[in-house]
Amino acid sequence: MSDSKKQLAGAVIALGATITEAMDAVPGFVPCGTPAQVIVDAIRTYADGDGATAAGTAQDVLGFVQHVSEHRGVTAHQAADVDALSAEQSRLARKVVALATSAEAASLDPARTEWMYRALGALEAGSDKAADLLAQA
C-alpha cells in the first residue's frame, strides 16, 4: 500500500472515530448522510484511485474531521497508523471496505451507517471493539 493510500485510510479511520465520539456524546444521534458519502467516496478512492488522488482525498477527509469536531464539540481524532492494525482490526477494515464499495451511501440504512462509523472508530490504536463489530457485520 502506498504512503498516500495509508494516509487516506488513516484519515477515514479518524473521521469514523470522530463521528463515533459525536454519536456517543448524544445518545440516539446518527449523522446525516454527508459523512457517510465522504467515507464511501474516500474508500472508493482508496480502492481504485492513484496516489495523487488518494493524497488529496486524505486532506479533504481530515478537513471534514475538523468540521465534525467543531460542529459537534468533540475531539478531532488524528489519522490512524494503518500499519499498526491488529489481525482482527484488519478483518474489520476489509468488511468496511466491502460495505463501502458495494453500496451507495444514500442506500445505507441508519443501522448500517452507524455500524460503518463505529467500525472505523474501532480501527484506532487501543480500541478493543473490533470483535464486537465483526460479530455484527
PDB file of all heavy atoms in Angstrom, residues 34-72:
ATOM      1  N   THR A  34     -24.167  13.003   4.809  1.00  0.00           N
ATOM      2  CA  THR A  34     -22.950  13.608   4.265  1.00  0.00           C
ATOM      3  C   THR A  34     -21.682  12.898   4.723  1.00  0.00           C
ATOM      4  O   THR A  34     -20.840  12.550   3.880  1.00  0.00           O
ATOM      5  CB  THR A  34     -22.897  15.110   4.596  1.00  0.00           C
ATOM      6  OG1 THR A  34     -24.054  15.739   4.030  1.00  0.00           O
ATOM      7  CG2 THR A  34     -21.644  15.752   4.024  1.00  0.00           C
ATOM      8  N   PRO A  35     -21.488  12.631   6.023  1.00  0.00           N
ATOM      9  CA  PRO A  35     -20.273  11.909   6.406  1.00  0.00           C
ATOM     10  C   PRO A  35     -20.189  10.522   5.772  1.00  0.00           C
ATOM     11  O   PRO A  35     -19.108  10.081   5.389  1.00  0.00           O
ATOM     12  CB  PRO A  35     -20.358  11.821   7.925  1.00  0.00           C
ATOM     13  CG  PRO A  35     -21.308  12.854   8.338  1.00  0.00           C
ATOM     14  CD  PRO A  35     -22.259  13.040   7.192  1.00  0.00           C
ATOM     15  N   ALA A  36     -21.321   9.857   5.653  1.00  0.00           N
ATOM     16  CA  ALA A  36     -21.313   8.527   5.017  1.00  0.00           C
ATOM     17  C   ALA A  36     -20.855   8.637   3.574  1.00  0.00           C
ATOM     18  O   ALA A  36     -20.067   7.813   3.100  1.00  0.00           O
ATOM     19  CB  ALA A  36     -22.695   7.892   5.100  1.00  0.00           C
ATOM     20  N   GLN A  37     -21.318   9.664   2.867  1.00  0.00           N
ATOM     21  CA  GLN A  37     -20.904   9.836   1.478  1.00  0.00           C
ATOM     22  C   GLN A  37     -19.418  10.160   1.392  1.00  0.00           C
ATOM     23  O   GLN A  37     -18.716   9.642   0.521  1.00  0.00           O
ATOM     24  CB  GLN A  37     -21.724  10.937   0.797  1.00  0.00           C
ATOM     25  CG  GLN A  37     -21.512  11.001  -0.697  1.00  0.00           C
ATOM     26  CD  GLN A  37     -22.002   9.737  -1.398  1.00  0.00           C
ATOM     27  OE1 GLN A  37     -23.162   9.376  -1.280  1.00  0.00           O
ATOM     28  NE2 GLN A  37     -21.119   9.055  -2.105  1.00  0.00           N
ATOM     29  N   VAL A  38     -18.921  10.991   2.308  1.00  0.00           N
ATOM     30  CA  VAL A  38     -17.492  11.309   2.342  1.00  0.00           C
ATOM     31  C   VAL A  38     -16.692  10.026   2.539  1.00  0.00           C
ATOM     32  O   VAL A  38     -15.694   9.784   1.846  1.00  0.00           O
ATOM     33  CB  VAL A  38     -17.177  12.340   3.457  1.00  0.00           C
ATOM     34  CG1 VAL A  38     -15.678  12.477   3.684  1.00  0.00           C
ATOM     35  CG2 VAL A  38     -17.784  13.694   3.104  1.00  0.00           C
ATOM     36  N   ILE A  39     -17.121   9.178   3.461  1.00  0.00           N
ATOM     37  CA  ILE A  39     -16.417   7.935   3.748  1.00  0.00           C
ATOM     38  C   ILE A  39     -16.490   6.980   2.559  1.00  0.00           C
ATOM     39  O   ILE A  39     -15.473   6.412   2.143  1.00  0.00           O
ATOM     40  CB  ILE A  39     -16.963   7.283   5.030  1.00  0.00           C
ATOM     41  CG1 ILE A  39     -16.527   8.123   6.246  1.00  0.00           C
ATOM     42  CG2 ILE A  39     -16.500   5.835   5.158  1.00  0.00           C
ATOM     43  CD1 ILE A  39     -17.207   7.740   7.543  1.00  0.00           C
ATOM     44  N   VAL A  40     -17.676   6.796   1.993  1.00  0.00           N
ATOM     45  CA  VAL A  40     -17.822   5.895   0.846  1.00  0.00           C
ATOM     46  C   VAL A  40     -16.951   6.366  -0.313  1.00  0.00           C
ATOM     47  O   VAL A  40     -16.225   5.570  -0.924  1.00  0.00           O
ATOM     48  CB  VAL A  40     -19.306   5.775   0.432  1.00  0.00           C
ATOM     49  CG1 VAL A  40     -19.456   5.126  -0.934  1.00  0.00           C
ATOM     50  CG2 VAL A  40     -20.081   4.978   1.482  1.00  0.00           C
ATOM     51  N   ASP A  41     -16.986   7.651  -0.601  1.00  0.00           N
ATOM     52  CA  ASP A  41     -16.165   8.186  -1.694  1.00  0.00           C
ATOM     53  C   ASP A  41     -14.677   7.997  -1.411  1.00  0.00           C
ATOM     54  O   ASP A  41     -13.903   7.637  -2.302  1.00  0.00           O
ATOM     55  CB  ASP A  41     -16.466   9.663  -1.935  1.00  0.00           C
ATOM     56  CG  ASP A  41     -17.850   9.905  -2.518  1.00  0.00           C
ATOM     57  OD1 ASP A  41     -18.499   8.947  -2.996  1.00  0.00           O
ATOM     58  OD2 ASP A  41     -18.291  11.080  -2.489  1.00  0.00           O
ATOM     59  N   ALA A  42     -14.270   8.242  -0.161  1.00  0.00           N
ATOM     60  CA  ALA A  42     -12.862   8.098   0.200  1.00  0.00           C
ATOM     61  C   ALA A  42     -12.407   6.643   0.104  1.00  0.00           C
ATOM     62  O   ALA A  42     -11.310   6.362  -0.379  1.00  0.00           O
ATOM     63  CB  ALA A  42     -12.618   8.643   1.605  1.00  0.00           C
ATOM     64  N   ILE A  43     -13.243   5.728   0.535  1.00  0.00           N
ATOM     65  CA  ILE A  43     -12.875   4.311   0.462  1.00  0.00           C
ATOM     66  C   ILE A  43     -12.814   3.854  -0.991  1.00  0.00           C
ATOM     67  O   ILE A  43     -11.946   3.070  -1.363  1.00  0.00           O
ATOM     68  CB  ILE A  43     -13.830   3.451   1.306  1.00  0.00           C
ATOM     69  CG1 ILE A  43     -13.578   3.734   2.797  1.00  0.00           C
ATOM     70  CG2 ILE A  43     -13.659   1.962   0.989  1.00  0.00           C
ATOM     71  CD1 ILE A  43     -14.541   3.081   3.748  1.00  0.00           C
ATOM     72  N   ARG A  44     -13.683   4.369  -1.822  1.00  0.00           N
ATOM     73  CA  ARG A  44     -13.607   4.030  -3.246  1.00  0.00           C
ATOM     74  C   ARG A  44     -12.329   4.600  -3.863  1.00  0.00           C
ATOM     75  O   ARG A  44     -11.707   3.960  -4.707  1.00  0.00           O
ATOM     76  CB  ARG A  44     -14.847   4.514  -3.972  1.00  0.00           C
ATOM     77  CG  ARG A  44     -16.036   3.650  -3.628  1.00  0.00           C
ATOM     78  CD  ARG A  44     -17.232   3.978  -4.428  1.00  0.00           C
ATOM     79  NE  ARG A  44     -18.284   3.025  -4.092  1.00  0.00           N
ATOM     80  CZ  ARG A  44     -19.544   3.245  -4.281  1.00  0.00           C
ATOM     81  NH1 ARG A  44     -19.956   4.374  -4.830  1.00  0.00           N
ATOM     82  NH2 ARG A  44     -20.430   2.331  -3.939  1.00  0.00           N
ATOM     83  N   THR A  45     -11.940   5.785  -3.455  1.00  0.00           N
ATOM     84  CA  THR A  45     -10.672   6.352  -3.923  1.00  0.00           C
ATOM     85  C   THR A  45      -9.520   5.479  -3.449  1.00  0.00           C
ATOM     86  O   THR A  45      -8.585   5.202  -4.206  1.00  0.00           O
ATOM     87  CB  THR A  45     -10.497   7.795  -3.419  1.00  0.00           C
ATOM     88  OG1 THR A  45     -11.534   8.601  -3.980  1.00  0.00           O
ATOM     89  CG2 THR A  45      -9.143   8.364  -3.804  1.00  0.00           C
ATOM     90  N   TYR A  46      -9.591   5.037  -2.206  1.00  0.00           N
ATOM     91  CA  TYR A  46      -8.571   4.139  -1.666  1.00  0.00           C
ATOM     92  C   TYR A  46      -8.487   2.866  -2.517  1.00  0.00           C
ATOM     93  O   TYR A  46      -7.405   2.415  -2.868  1.00  0.00           O
ATOM     94  CB  TYR A  46      -8.909   3.786  -0.216  1.00  0.00           C
ATOM     95  CG  TYR A  46      -8.068   2.693   0.361  1.00  0.00           C
ATOM     96  CD1 TYR A  46      -6.840   2.969   0.941  1.00  0.00           C
ATOM     97  CD2 TYR A  46      -8.495   1.365   0.320  1.00  0.00           C
ATOM     98  CE1 TYR A  46      -6.058   1.964   1.458  1.00  0.00           C
ATOM     99  CE2 TYR A  46      -7.710   0.355   0.838  1.00  0.00           C
ATOM    100  CZ  TYR A  46      -6.501   0.654   1.412  1.00  0.00           C
ATOM    101  OH  TYR A  46      -5.722  -0.341   1.920  1.00  0.00           O
ATOM    102  N   ALA A  47      -9.624   2.306  -2.852  1.00  0.00           N
ATOM    103  CA  ALA A  47      -9.656   1.039  -3.589  1.00  0.00           C
ATOM    104  C   ALA A  47      -9.225   1.196  -5.042  1.00  0.00           C
ATOM    105  O   ALA A  47      -8.539   0.329  -5.586  1.00  0.00           O
ATOM    106  CB  ALA A  47     -11.058   0.432  -3.520  1.00  0.00           C
ATOM    107  N   ASP A  48      -9.607   2.306  -5.677  1.00  0.00           N
ATOM    108  CA  ASP A  48      -9.427   2.432  -7.124  1.00  0.00           C
ATOM    109  C   ASP A  48      -8.550   3.592  -7.578  1.00  0.00           C
ATOM    110  O   ASP A  48      -8.181   3.647  -8.747  1.00  0.00           O
ATOM    111  CB  ASP A  48     -10.795   2.598  -7.806  1.00  0.00           C
ATOM    112  CG  ASP A  48     -11.705   1.414  -7.561  1.00  0.00           C
ATOM    113  OD1 ASP A  48     -11.197   0.283  -7.472  1.00  0.00           O
ATOM    114  OD2 ASP A  48     -12.930   1.623  -7.439  1.00  0.00           O
ATOM    115  N   GLY A  49      -8.245   4.532  -6.685  1.00  0.00           N
ATOM    116  CA  GLY A  49      -7.553   5.747  -7.100  1.00  0.00           C
ATOM    117  C   GLY A  49      -6.044   5.602  -7.128  1.00  0.00           C
ATOM    118  O   GLY A  49      -5.473   4.632  -6.637  1.00  0.00           O
ATOM    119  N   ASP A  50      -5.419   6.612  -7.701  1.00  0.00           N
ATOM    120  CA  ASP A  50      -3.956   6.643  -7.723  1.00  0.00           C
ATOM    121  C   ASP A  50      -3.446   7.393  -6.494  1.00  0.00           C
ATOM    122  O   ASP A  50      -4.224   7.926  -5.702  1.00  0.00           O
ATOM    123  CB  ASP A  50      -3.450   7.285  -9.016  1.00  0.00           C
ATOM    124  CG  ASP A  50      -3.927   8.718  -9.204  1.00  0.00           C
ATOM    125  OD1 ASP A  50      -4.135   9.433  -8.198  1.00  0.00           O
ATOM    126  OD2 ASP A  50      -4.089   9.134 -10.364  1.00  0.00           O
ATOM    127  N   GLY A  51      -2.137   7.437  -6.344  1.00  0.00           N
ATOM    128  CA  GLY A  51      -1.532   8.057  -5.176  1.00  0.00           C
ATOM    129  C   GLY A  51      -1.851   9.527  -5.011  1.00  0.00           C
ATOM    130  O   GLY A  51      -2.140   9.985  -3.909  1.00  0.00           O
ATOM    131  N   ALA A  52      -1.820  10.279  -6.106  1.00  0.00           N
ATOM    132  CA  ALA A  52      -2.081  11.718  -6.017  1.00  0.00           C
ATOM    133  C   ALA A  52      -3.528  11.982  -5.608  1.00  0.00           C
ATOM    134  O   ALA A  52      -3.799  12.856  -4.778  1.00  0.00           O
ATOM    135  CB  ALA A  52      -1.780  12.394  -7.356  1.00  0.00           C
ATOM    136  N   THR A  53      -4.444  11.220  -6.162  1.00  0.00           N
ATOM    137  CA  THR A  53      -5.859  11.380  -5.806  1.00  0.00           C
ATOM    138  C   THR A  53      -6.073  11.001  -4.344  1.00  0.00           C
ATOM    139  O   THR A  53      -6.796  11.689  -3.613  1.00  0.00           O
ATOM    140  CB  THR A  53      -6.748  10.525  -6.722  1.00  0.00           C
ATOM    141  OG1 THR A  53      -6.490  10.885  -8.082  1.00  0.00           O
ATOM    142  CG2 THR A  53      -8.217  10.723  -6.419  1.00  0.00           C
ATOM    143  N   ALA A  54      -5.423   9.926  -3.916  1.00  0.00           N
ATOM    144  CA  ALA A  54      -5.555   9.484  -2.522  1.00  0.00           C
ATOM    145  C   ALA A  54      -5.023  10.549  -1.568  1.00  0.00           C
ATOM    146  O   ALA A  54      -5.644  10.823  -0.533  1.00  0.00           O
ATOM    147  CB  ALA A  54      -4.822   8.163  -2.316  1.00  0.00           C
ATOM    148  N   ALA A  55      -3.906  11.157  -1.891  1.00  0.00           N
ATOM    149  CA  ALA A  55      -3.327  12.188  -1.027  1.00  0.00           C
ATOM    150  C   ALA A  55      -4.261  13.384  -0.900  1.00  0.00           C
ATOM    151  O   ALA A  55      -4.470  13.904   0.202  1.00  0.00           O
ATOM    152  CB  ALA A  55      -1.968  12.621  -1.560  1.00  0.00           C
ATOM    153  N   GLY A  56      -4.825  13.832  -2.012  1.00  0.00           N
ATOM    154  CA  GLY A  56      -5.761  14.952  -1.974  1.00  0.00           C
ATOM    155  C   GLY A  56      -7.014  14.618  -1.200  1.00  0.00           C
ATOM    156  O   GLY A  56      -7.519  15.432  -0.416  1.00  0.00           O
ATOM    157  N   THR A  57      -7.515  13.409  -1.388  1.00  0.00           N
ATOM    158  CA  THR A  57      -8.724  12.986  -0.677  1.00  0.00           C
ATOM    159  C   THR A  57      -8.449  12.870   0.821  1.00  0.00           C
ATOM    160  O   THR A  57      -9.306  13.225   1.633  1.00  0.00           O
ATOM    161  CB  THR A  57      -9.244  11.655  -1.246  1.00  0.00           C
ATOM    162  OG1 THR A  57      -9.501  11.822  -2.648  1.00  0.00           O
ATOM    163  CG2 THR A  57     -10.519  11.207  -0.552  1.00  0.00           C
ATOM    164  N   ALA A  58      -7.252  12.417   1.195  1.00  0.00           N
ATOM    165  CA  ALA A  58      -6.897  12.335   2.616  1.00  0.00           C
ATOM    166  C   ALA A  58      -6.983  13.707   3.270  1.00  0.00           C
ATOM    167  O   ALA A  58      -7.516  13.847   4.382  1.00  0.00           O
ATOM    168  CB  ALA A  58      -5.498  11.746   2.787  1.00  0.00           C
ATOM    169  N   GLN A  59      -6.490  14.733   2.587  1.00  0.00           N
ATOM    170  CA  GLN A  59      -6.557  16.085   3.140  1.00  0.00           C
ATOM    171  C   GLN A  59      -8.001  16.562   3.262  1.00  0.00           C
ATOM    172  O   GLN A  59      -8.375  17.203   4.243  1.00  0.00           O
ATOM    173  CB  GLN A  59      -5.732  17.051   2.286  1.00  0.00           C
ATOM    174  CG  GLN A  59      -4.243  16.787   2.367  1.00  0.00           C
ATOM    175  CD  GLN A  59      -3.742  16.709   3.800  1.00  0.00           C
ATOM    176  OE1 GLN A  59      -3.943  17.613   4.603  1.00  0.00           O
ATOM    177  NE2 GLN A  59      -3.103  15.598   4.135  1.00  0.00           N
ATOM    178  N   ASP A  60      -8.823  16.240   2.276  1.00  0.00           N
ATOM    179  CA  ASP A  60     -10.250  16.594   2.336  1.00  0.00           C
ATOM    180  C   ASP A  60     -10.935  15.919   3.520  1.00  0.00           C
ATOM    181  O   ASP A  60     -11.728  16.538   4.230  1.00  0.00           O
ATOM    182  CB  ASP A  60     -10.965  16.207   1.038  1.00  0.00           C
ATOM    183  CG  ASP A  60     -10.499  17.004  -0.168  1.00  0.00           C
ATOM    184  OD1 ASP A  60      -9.855  18.072   0.013  1.00  0.00           O
ATOM    185  OD2 ASP A  60     -10.776  16.559  -1.300  1.00  0.00           O
ATOM    186  N   VAL A  61     -10.630  14.638   3.721  1.00  0.00           N
ATOM    187  CA  VAL A  61     -11.241  13.890   4.824  1.00  0.00           C
ATOM    188  C   VAL A  61     -10.795  14.475   6.163  1.00  0.00           C
ATOM    189  O   VAL A  61     -11.611  14.660   7.073  1.00  0.00           O
ATOM    190  CB  VAL A  61     -10.916  12.387   4.724  1.00  0.00           C
ATOM    191  CG1 VAL A  61     -11.367  11.640   5.984  1.00  0.00           C
ATOM    192  CG2 VAL A  61     -11.571  11.782   3.482  1.00  0.00           C
ATOM    193  N   LEU A  62      -9.516  14.808   6.296  1.00  0.00           N
ATOM    194  CA  LEU A  62      -9.039  15.412   7.542  1.00  0.00           C
ATOM    195  C   LEU A  62      -9.693  16.769   7.783  1.00  0.00           C
ATOM    196  O   LEU A  62      -9.972  17.135   8.933  1.00  0.00           O
ATOM    197  CB  LEU A  62      -7.520  15.518   7.539  1.00  0.00           C
ATOM    198  CG  LEU A  62      -6.791  14.174   7.651  1.00  0.00           C
ATOM    199  CD1 LEU A  62      -5.288  14.367   7.482  1.00  0.00           C
ATOM    200  CD2 LEU A  62      -7.105  13.483   8.971  1.00  0.00           C
ATOM    201  N   GLY A  63      -9.970  17.502   6.717  1.00  0.00           N
ATOM    202  CA  GLY A  63     -10.718  18.750   6.856  1.00  0.00           C
ATOM    203  C   GLY A  63     -12.127  18.496   7.370  1.00  0.00           C
ATOM    204  O   GLY A  63     -12.653  19.262   8.186  1.00  0.00           O
ATOM    205  N   PHE A  64     -12.722  17.411   6.924  1.00  0.00           N
ATOM    206  CA  PHE A  64     -14.067  17.067   7.382  1.00  0.00           C
ATOM    207  C   PHE A  64     -14.040  16.610   8.839  1.00  0.00           C
ATOM    208  O   PHE A  64     -14.987  16.866   9.584  1.00  0.00           O
ATOM    209  CB  PHE A  64     -14.695  16.005   6.463  1.00  0.00           C
ATOM    210  CG  PHE A  64     -16.190  15.962   6.569  1.00  0.00           C
ATOM    211  CD1 PHE A  64     -16.968  16.988   6.050  1.00  0.00           C
ATOM    212  CD2 PHE A  64     -16.814  14.915   7.199  1.00  0.00           C
ATOM    213  CE1 PHE A  64     -18.344  16.966   6.159  1.00  0.00           C
ATOM    214  CE2 PHE A  64     -18.199  14.880   7.309  1.00  0.00           C
ATOM    215  CZ  PHE A  64     -18.964  15.907   6.787  1.00  0.00           C
ATOM    216  N   VAL A  65     -12.958  15.966   9.254  1.00  0.00           N
ATOM    217  CA  VAL A  65     -12.783  15.610  10.672  1.00  0.00           C
ATOM    218  C   VAL A  65     -12.854  16.878  11.513  1.00  0.00           C
ATOM    219  O   VAL A  65     -13.556  16.929  12.532  1.00  0.00           O
ATOM    220  CB  VAL A  65     -11.445  14.865  10.904  1.00  0.00           C
ATOM    221  CG1 VAL A  65     -11.115  14.775  12.392  1.00  0.00           C
ATOM    222  CG2 VAL A  65     -11.463  13.483  10.265  1.00  0.00           C
ATOM    223  N   GLN A  66     -12.136  17.916  11.085  1.00  0.00           N
ATOM    224  CA  GLN A  66     -12.147  19.197  11.806  1.00  0.00           C
ATOM    225  C   GLN A  66     -13.564  19.778  11.840  1.00  0.00           C
ATOM    226  O   GLN A  66     -14.008  20.289  12.872  1.00  0.00           O
ATOM    227  CB  GLN A  66     -11.186  20.188  11.152  1.00  0.00           C
ATOM    228  CG  GLN A  66      -9.755  19.963  11.507  1.00  0.00           C
ATOM    229  CD  GLN A  66      -9.497  20.057  12.999  1.00  0.00           C
ATOM    230  OE1 GLN A  66      -8.886  19.160  13.553  1.00  0.00           O
ATOM    231  NE2 GLN A  66      -9.936  21.094  13.666  1.00  0.00           N
ATOM    232  N   HIS A  67     -14.257  19.709  10.717  1.00  0.00           N
ATOM    233  CA  HIS A  67     -15.620  20.236  10.637  1.00  0.00           C
ATOM    234  C   HIS A  67     -16.532  19.527  11.640  1.00  0.00           C
ATOM    235  O   HIS A  67     -17.268  20.176  12.383  1.00  0.00           O
ATOM    236  CB  HIS A  67     -16.160  20.074   9.216  1.00  0.00           C
ATOM    237  CG  HIS A  67     -17.629  20.334   9.110  1.00  0.00           C
ATOM    238  ND1 HIS A  67     -18.154  21.608   9.074  1.00  0.00           N
ATOM    239  CD2 HIS A  67     -18.675  19.464   9.049  1.00  0.00           C
ATOM    240  CE1 HIS A  67     -19.474  21.520   9.003  1.00  0.00           C
ATOM    241  NE2 HIS A  67     -19.813  20.238   8.984  1.00  0.00           N
ATOM    242  N   VAL A  68     -16.486  18.212  11.649  1.00  0.00           N
ATOM    243  CA  VAL A  68     -17.329  17.443  12.573  1.00  0.00           C
ATOM    244  C   VAL A  68     -16.966  17.790  14.014  1.00  0.00           C
ATOM    245  O   VAL A  68     -17.842  18.012  14.851  1.00  0.00           O
ATOM    246  CB  VAL A  68     -17.192  15.923  12.316  1.00  0.00           C
ATOM    247  CG1 VAL A  68     -17.872  15.113  13.412  1.00  0.00           C
ATOM    248  CG2 VAL A  68     -17.764  15.555  10.949  1.00  0.00           C
ATOM    249  N   SER A  69     -15.668  17.856  14.299  1.00  0.00           N
ATOM    250  CA  SER A  69     -15.208  18.182  15.644  1.00  0.00           C
ATOM    251  C   SER A  69     -15.751  19.534  16.110  1.00  0.00           C
ATOM    252  O   SER A  69     -16.293  19.646  17.214  1.00  0.00           O
ATOM    253  CB  SER A  69     -13.679  18.202  15.654  1.00  0.00           C
ATOM    254  OG  SER A  69     -13.195  18.724  16.867  1.00  0.00           O
ATOM    255  N   GLU A  70     -15.611  20.527  15.267  1.00  0.00           N
ATOM    256  CA  GLU A  70     -16.078  21.873  15.632  1.00  0.00           C
ATOM    257  C   GLU A  70     -17.593  21.940  15.730  1.00  0.00           C
ATOM    258  O   GLU A  70     -18.136  22.565  16.637  1.00  0.00           O
ATOM    259  CB  GLU A  70     -15.561  22.885  14.607  1.00  0.00           C
ATOM    260  CG  GLU A  70     -14.054  23.061  14.661  1.00  0.00           C
ATOM    261  CD  GLU A  70     -13.487  23.790  13.458  1.00  0.00           C
ATOM    262  OE1 GLU A  70     -14.254  24.255  12.594  1.00  0.00           O
ATOM    263  OE2 GLU A  70     -12.241  23.872  13.383  1.00  0.00           O
ATOM    264  N   HIS A  71     -18.278  21.295  14.806  1.00  0.00           N
ATOM    265  CA  HIS A  71     -19.747  21.356  14.768  1.00  0.00           C
ATOM    266  C   HIS A  71     -20.379  20.587  15.925  1.00  0.00           C
ATOM    267  O   HIS A  71     -21.411  21.006  16.449  1.00  0.00           O
ATOM    268  CB  HIS A  71     -20.250  20.808  13.423  1.00  0.00           C
ATOM    269  CG  HIS A  71     -21.714  20.936  13.231  1.00  0.00           C
ATOM    270  ND1 HIS A  71     -22.347  22.142  13.026  1.00  0.00           N
ATOM    271  CD2 HIS A  71     -22.686  19.995  13.217  1.00  0.00           C
ATOM    272  CE1 HIS A  71     -23.641  21.948  12.900  1.00  0.00           C
ATOM    273  NE2 HIS A  71     -23.876  20.651  13.016  1.00  0.00           N
ATOM    274  N   ARG A  72     -19.771  19.474  16.326  1.00  0.00           N
ATOM    275  CA  ARG A  72     -20.359  18.622  17.365  1.00  0.00           C
ATOM    276  C   ARG A  72     -19.680  18.781  18.721  1.00  0.00           C
ATOM    277  O   ARG A  72     -20.118  18.185  19.707  1.00  0.00           O
ATOM    278  CB  ARG A  72     -20.311  17.154  16.948  1.00  0.00           C
ATOM    279  CG  ARG A  72     -21.024  16.822  15.659  1.00  0.00           C
ATOM    280  CD  ARG A  72     -22.473  17.206  15.607  1.00  0.00           C
ATOM    281  NE  ARG A  72     -23.254  16.634  16.675  1.00  0.00           N
ATOM    282  CZ  ARG A  72     -24.553  16.836  16.839  1.00  0.00           C
ATOM    283  NH1 ARG A  72     -25.210  17.601  15.994  1.00  0.00           N
ATOM    284  NH2 ARG A  72     -25.193  16.286  17.840  1.00  0.00           N
TER     285      ARG A  72
END
